[in-house]
Amino acid sequence: MSFKSIIQEMRGEIGGMSRKGFEVRIGYGLRSRSHRTIQDVEGIGSNVRGDGMRQSCWVNLPPELLREVLMRIEASESAWPQRKHVVACACVCRSWREIMKEIVKTPEKSGFLTFPISLKQPGPRDFLIQCFIKRNRTTQTYHLYLGLTQALNDNGKILLSARKCRRPTCTDYLISLDADDMSKGSNTYIGKLRSNFLGTKFTVYDGQPPHAGALVSKSRSTRLVSAKQVSPRVPAGNYPVAHVSYELNVLGSRGPRRMQCTMDTIPASAIEPGGVAPTCTEFPLSSLESFPSMPFFRSKSARTENFVGSLSGQKEDMLVLKNKAPRWHEQLQCWCLNFRGRVTVASVKNFQLVASSENGQPGPEHEKVILQFGKVEKDLFTMDYRYPISAFQAFAICLSSFDTKIACE
């Protein structure tokens, strides 16, 4: 059998597995289109591994050949929904998973969002990952999708969801990997955005420690997750990772909002050539066997691992982002920003974030748009982000633009 035939036959078998139990979306668990629960899919995954792979001719494939085949599959499936086969490969068994950990690179290096942990890793350096947000006014929920085409209205692949919770003195946006369960007690809860009463200051909280030595914010909601949840022995609480502030508009003058974002866990040096942003390597599970069908991978970069460990040992200047100042268009009689076709409706919510001059001498890196957000339709918005922030951080910052701002309008 030729090597090409081996790859084609293997891809066909993996495709069959995907149809049986791995019609996946990015999330802590694997979900089918019929919205199976995580436990259901775990059962399916174990059955596929136990029955299908026990009789498969690929079980005893030489490691070198197996690695080459998996590398070919990973390289050929460069976009969703085809990339589901890469996730399915990592779910077959431990040996396959270990190989996929080494093959699949972080979004910074590959530009792909493949596994759940990708949503908490910095985006690519050279281009923006194009996403969009759908708002549901009735349920007060927001859903982040990965754009699959250049069209602004494609179906996309769901990445994250958030639910707005009003409280007497603040507003919370609970962020989850599951569009059907956005409660803080859920095993798919990953963080939240909290505003002050006026809607001028926001704090982004990570549900798990973003790096070694991270300090948890004291809150009534800090809790220990149960044995069935994602991190059995890790305290899941409020770890502040970013602060967003909007400038007060006491005179009530018309014009764009002014905002500033302080990234607590990203050093200012990250935007410089050769700079490094902290990169999560995995969700802090006490044992990977808790979720045998869920793939994770570790970064092989010693430089990144050493940097993450050193965050708690020294105080670095934090990265500060500010909104790019728009220009006044005389003919259109409005404030304008160049979104390169990604925004079609004028709105006070639209913004582009760049590195602030506070982060050092202005240079080319200060002109690069790190995050842009804008309106396309009544309840449809685009969100594009890049290194050094992650999809989770970008989504949380964009959610702040939806909140009512009594003193900023």
Side-chain angles (χ1 to χ4, degrees):
M1 181 184 293
S2 67
F3 187 70
K4 184 176 181 180
S5 300
I6 291 177
I7 294 179
Q8 290 177 344
E9 185 173 340
M10 199 171 189
R11 182 182 285 112
E13 187 164 329
I14 293 297
M17 292 169 56
S18 295
R19 288 187 292 273
K20 290 179 182 178
F22 298 106
E23 191 71 25
V24 300
R25 73 175 180 87
I26 292 183
Y28 276 98
L30 305 179
R31 290 170 56 93
S32 71
R33 289 178 177 173
S34 60
H35 299 286
R36 295 187 180 97
T37 63
I38 295 174
Q39 291 78 9
D40 291 338
V41 179
E42 283 182 343
I44 294 174
S46 61
N47 290 337
V48 171
R49 290 192 302 273
D51 298 333
M53 293 309 294
R54 187 182 299 116
Q55 301 174 2
S56 173
C57 60
W58 311 117
V59 173
N60 298 319
L61 200 66
E64 296 79 8
L65 183 57
L66 174 61
R67 177 182 295 273
E68 182 65 24
V69 171
L70 294 180
M71 287 179 64
R72 295 284 185 94
I73 293 177
E74 197 278 335
S76 63
E77 311 295 4
S78 58
W80 288 94
Q82 292 79 15
R83 203 156 177 78
K84 65 185 178 183
H85 301 312
V86 177
V87 181
C89 287
C91 297
V92 171
C93 61
R94 183 181 296 275
S95 61
W96 285 44
R97 177 182 295 159
E98 292 302 318
I99 295 175
M100 295 308 294
K101 286 181 185 179
E102 300 178 6
I103 294 175
V104 177
K105 305 301 181 184
T106 62
E108 176 189 351
K109 297 179 180 179
S110 67
F112 300 138
L113 297 175
T114 306
F115 297 141
I117 195 63
S118 303
L119 300 175
K120 286 197 173 183
Q121 295 176 330
R125 291 177 180 262
D126 300 328
F127 60 92
L128 293 162
I129 291 184
Q130 296 184 342
C131 308
F132 57 91
I133 299 174
K134 289 184 178 180
R135 173 178 60 182
N136 188 319
R137 295 172 182 266
T138 304
T139 59
Q140 292 193 321
T141 55
Y142 306 82
H143 303 284
L144 175 67
Y145 295 83
L146 174 67
L148 302 182
T149 66
Q150 293 297 320
L152 298 178
N153 57 352
D154 64 20
N155 292 327
K157 179 166 188 60
I158 191 164
L159 303 177
L160 293 169
S161 297
R163 178 170 58 88
K164 184 177 183 178
C165 301
R166 292 185 180 275
R167 307 187 186 283
T169 59
C170 64
T171 300
D172 284 349
Y173 292 82
L174 304 182
I175 304 174
S176 171
L177 290 158
D178 189 346
D180 297 327
D181 188 355
M182 288 172 273
S183 63
K184 192 165 185 179
S186 167
N187 57 358
T188 55
Y189 167 82
I190 63 170
K192 72 177 181 181
L193 174 75
R194 168 166 289 183
S195 75
N196 64 356
F197 176 73
L198 296 177
T200 57
K201 296 184 183 297
F202 298 79
T203 303
V204 180
Y205 293 101
D206 197 326
Q208 302 293 339
H211 58 75
L215 299 178
V216 64
S217 174
K218 294 182 179 180
S219 171
R220 294 180 182 177
S221 57
T222 301
R223 75 212 188 287
L224 287 175
V225 289
S226 65
K228 293 184 178 180
Q229 291 180 325
V230 172
S231 307
R233 298 180 184 176
V234 179
N238 297 326
Y239 296 86
V241 295
H243 290 80
V244 184
S245 61
Y246 290 82
E247 187 175 304
L248 293 174
N249 186 5
V250 293
L251 300 179
S253 58
R254 296 180 61 83
R257 295 171 179 170
R258 295 182 181 179
M259 62 185 296
Q260 178 175 289
C261 302
T262 302
M263 310 305 297
D264 297 10
T265 58
I266 303 177
S269 59
I271 63 171
E272 299 173 358
V276 179
T279 302
C280 296
T281 56
E282 64 181 7
F283 290 106
L285 291 173
S286 63
S287 172
L288 287 179
E289 297 303 320
S290 301
F291 272 76
S293 62
M294 188 190 341
F296 296 93
F297 63 90
R298 294 180 180 272
S299 170
K300 293 300 180 179
S301 172
R303 181 179 66 172
T304 300
E305 291 175 356
N306 292 337
F307 176 79
V308 173
S310 67
L311 281 177
S312 59
Q314 60 182 9
K315 181 67 176 178
E316 299 242 6
D317 291 334
M318 292 178 282
L319 176 66
V320 178
L321 306 177
K322 67 174 184 179
N323 65 306
K324 191 173 184 179
R327 62 181 180 85
W328 179 256
H329 197 291
E330 289 293 342
Q331 293 180 339
L332 298 178
Q333 289 294 296
C334 65
W335 296 96
C336 295
L337 281 171
N338 184 8
F339 288 93
R340 302 186 182 279
R342 292 283 293 164
V343 176
T344 59
V345 179
S347 172
V348 71
K349 295 180 176 63
N350 301 350
F351 67 79
Q352 290 180 325
L353 292 185
V354 296
S356 172
S357 57
E358 296 179 15
N359 298 134
Q361 293 295 328
E365 60 274 8
H366 289 77
E367 296 299 321
K368 290 183 178 179
V369 174
I370 295 175
L371 170 63
Q372 68 177 21
F373 171 80
K375 193 171 185 177
V376 179
E377 296 176 6
K378 181 179 180 180
D379 292 308
L380 182 63
F381 303 79
T382 56
M383 187 201 87
D384 305 334
Y385 77 98
R386 72 191 307 160
Y387 181 91
I389 66 175
S390 65
F392 164 68
Q393 293 167 333
F395 184 44
I397 293 173
C398 291
L399 288 174
S400 71
S401 188
F402 286 108
D403 199 59
T404 303
K405 297 165 180 56
I406 300 174
C408 297
E409 306 294 69

